[in-house]
Amino acid sequence: MAVPGTESGNATVPPQGGDITTEVVVLGGGLAGLTMAAALASAGVPVVCIDQDSPERMGDREFDIRTTAISYASKMVLEAAGVWHHMADQAGPMLDIRIADQFSPLFIHYDHTELAMEGKHQPFGWILDNKDIRHALFTRAAELPGLVHLAPAKAVTVERKRSGVSVRLADGRTVRGRLLVGADGRRSMARESAGIKVRRWSYDQSAIICTIRHTEPNKGVAVEHFLPNGPFAVLPMTDNRCSIVWSEKSSLVDTYLKLPDDQFIDELQRRSGGYLGEITLLTKREAWPLSVLLADRFIADRLALVGEAAHAIHPIAGQGLNLGMRDVAALAEVVVDAYRLGLDVGGPEVLARFQRWRRFDTVLLAAVCDGLVHLFSNNIPPVKLARDLGMAVINRLPPVKRFFMKHAMGVVGDLPRMIKGQPL
């Protein structure tokens, strides 16, 4: 087995570190990009994944203190890619979700026992440290002979021709393939090289994040309070820990970040309602400005965009990475189908199928999340009353409630095989 994060993979890698030829080149080795590479390689498609950061740096807790909500659908994708069992022990299940407008007695309560998947009750999702997801991905990458993981390796130019794609690296090597997958984030080189325009807008909010330990068990309950300055989420983790995602008006964020620990904890207790008992901070506090990015299209000649290279949305519904995982599942399916039929995996028909599959779902979810932000980020009495009554109605209509529960799990719509538990 190769060492995670080093150059490993199939026979396309020259022994002396020269140019590399493969089928698919994934630019960006983050959570979505390396999952994409693992999914393809698990199905027998040769793939090279390029990332500019080293695995050692990315695996350090200080590199990224964030946590991620993995929906049931995303867990199925990670499972199909052979990644999930490397991270399952670190995953805190979300068994209940409670959504309230501020501290109103009228709220929505999702209970995982009200819905059966695969003939049994399943968590809505899981909360993990990003570092644990990365470690699982690095371990899986090292297991796959068809995956070449180049990290650290900086891409300096991208070229797409009718015959294929080529990515030139800073060390002088060139990686060639039939398809380029842009998984390189909001400032995507792959997207910009294709001249794909994006629509952007910002919210007057930033997300304050940290991880806490608490004395009372969280019982797998995820809580989200919609407050006038933005949603406040408490997400259950393992070992009596919770992740805090506190969306706050940007002008106030610096004040909260600079509070002494005891005063900051008092603010957390006030917003959470104190149900977790005594709280201690396990990580530093960070703030991330909140904005939306939506690419005008997700494909170009021999290029497909996934994850934040294609879209980034408000975390109000916890669907950021999960939206990217659905991209991964759809693109993996169309590429694997083409490869097994001996077709060009970067051909226009393959890419058009991917875009048709993913574009509508993404635009719709971005619009819904944007609407929720504007609906709940105010304290206007008539609007608040309407919100509370709407929540109460949803909570008392089982068919409507089950639909929203399935949506939270990511199992609504035309699902790829990976999400349905079927082999690629």
Side-chain angles (χ1 to χ4, degrees), residues 15 41 79 148 203 232-233 242 326 355 374 400 402 414:
E79 199 165 59
V148 181
Y203 301 101
F232 178 89
C242 278
R326 294 203 286 276
Q355 171 146 285
H374 289 94
V400 176
R402 281 194 292 270
D414 184 10

Side-chain angles (χ1 to χ4, degrees), residues 19 32 47 50 65 82-83 88-89 120 127 140 148 167 190 201 203 208 258 263 288 291 298 327 336 367 388 418:
D19 294 349
V47 57
I50 302 168
I65 69 165
V83 179
D89 289 345
K120 59 183 179 180
I127 308 297
R140 180 56 176 158
V148 181
V167 179
W201 62 93
Y203 301 101
I208 300 172
K258 291 178 179 178
Q263 294 181 34
W288 294 74
S291 62
F298 295 174
D327 297 341
V336 168
D388 293 351
M418 295 179 79

Side-chain angles (χ1 to χ4, degrees), residues 61-381:
R61 181 57 187 263
E62 294 303 307
F63 175 77
D64 186 357
I65 69 165
R66 291 174 296 175
T67 59
T68 292
I70 300 292
S71 69
Y72 172 79
S74 294
K75 178 254 190 183
M76 297 297 286
V77 175
L78 290 161
E79 199 165 59
V83 179
W84 180 252
H85 71 279
H86 292 303
M87 57 199 275
D89 289 345
Q90 289 81 41
M94 288 189 288
L95 304 178
D96 284 29
I97 300 176
R98 299 178 186 177
I99 304 169
D101 185 6
Q102 301 180 37
F103 296 97
S104 169
L106 303 175
F107 59 89
I108 298 176
H109 176 210
Y110 297 154
D111 182 339
H112 79 293
T113 63
E114 296 178 35
L115 195 66
M117 301 296 298
E118 301 179 276
K120 59 183 179 180
H121 302 307
Q122 298 281 356
F124 293 107
W126 293 260
I127 308 297
L128 292 104
D129 283 308
N130 282 8
K131 70 176 181 60
D132 291 330
I133 304 175
R134 287 194 173 92
H135 281 305
L137 286 165
F138 297 151
T139 302
R140 180 56 176 158
E143 294 173 346
L144 291 165
L147 195 167
V148 181
H149 186 202
L150 301 181
K154 182 174 177 57
V156 292
T157 62
V158 172
E159 188 175 9
R160 295 172 298 108
K161 298 180 178 179
R162 290 188 62 183
S163 57
V165 301
S166 61
V167 179
R168 189 165 63 84
L169 306 179
D171 63 11
R173 290 183 293 173
T174 298
V175 182
R176 297 183 178 86
R178 295 178 180 274
L179 171 66
L180 177 67
V181 177
D184 48 341
R186 296 184 185 223
R187 300 179 180 178
S188 169
M189 171 190 287
R191 185 188 68 232
E192 292 178 1
S193 73
I196 298 175
K197 296 181 179 180
V198 297
R199 301 171 192 269
R200 306 175 192 261
W201 62 93
S202 298
Y203 301 101
D204 185 23
Q205 295 177 352
S206 291
I208 300 172
I209 61 168
C210 63
T211 300
I212 61 171
R213 193 181 298 280
H214 42 84
T215 56
E216 295 297 322
N218 58 50
K219 299 180 181 179
V221 177
V223 175
E224 185 159 30
H225 291 297
F226 290 122
L227 302 175
N229 288 349
F232 178 89
V234 184
L235 307 173
M237 301 178 71
T238 57
D239 301 324
N240 266 29
R241 297 176 301 147
C242 278
S243 171
I244 302 294
V245 182
W246 169 2
S247 299
E248 183 56 76
K249 187 174 291 187
S250 296
S251 61
L252 299 176
V253 165
D254 205 41
T255 300
Y256 289 120
L257 290 178
K258 291 178 179 178
L259 284 178
D261 283 356
D262 59 340
Q263 294 181 34
F264 185 76
I265 288 172
D266 286 344
E267 291 291 339
L268 295 182
Q269 288 282 28
R270 186 166 67 86
R271 285 165 171 76
S272 65
Y275 72 98
L276 293 171
E278 294 183 17
I279 288 174
T280 54
L281 292 172
L282 290 182
T283 67
K284 62 183 179 179
R285 303 164 234 167
E286 288 184 351
W288 294 74
L290 299 179
S291 62
V292 172
L293 176 150
L294 189 61
D296 285 352
R297 50 197 170 95
F298 295 174
I299 62 172
D301 291 343
R302 298 201 171 274
L303 170 67
L305 302 177
V306 301
E308 290 197 341
H311 46 73
I313 62 175
H314 194 286
I316 192 168
Q319 292 298 314
L321 179 64
N322 297 310
L323 198 56
M325 287 293 181
R326 294 203 286 276
D327 297 341
V328 167
L331 184 59
E333 184 166 322
V334 299
V335 168
V336 168
D337 286 351
Y339 181 74
R340 287 178 177 160
L341 291 172
L343 304 176
D344 184 349
V345 298
E349 297 84 2
V350 174
L351 297 180
R353 183 183 169 200
F354 166 69
Q355 171 146 285
R356 285 195 302 270
W357 205 344
R358 293 300 307 137
R359 177 76 180 167
F360 177 77
D361 176 43
T362 302
V363 173
L364 178 62
L365 186 56
V368 168
C369 289
D370 184 65
L372 288 173
V373 172
H374 289 94
L375 177 64
F376 283 95
S377 295
N378 67 76
N379 209 18
I380 303 169

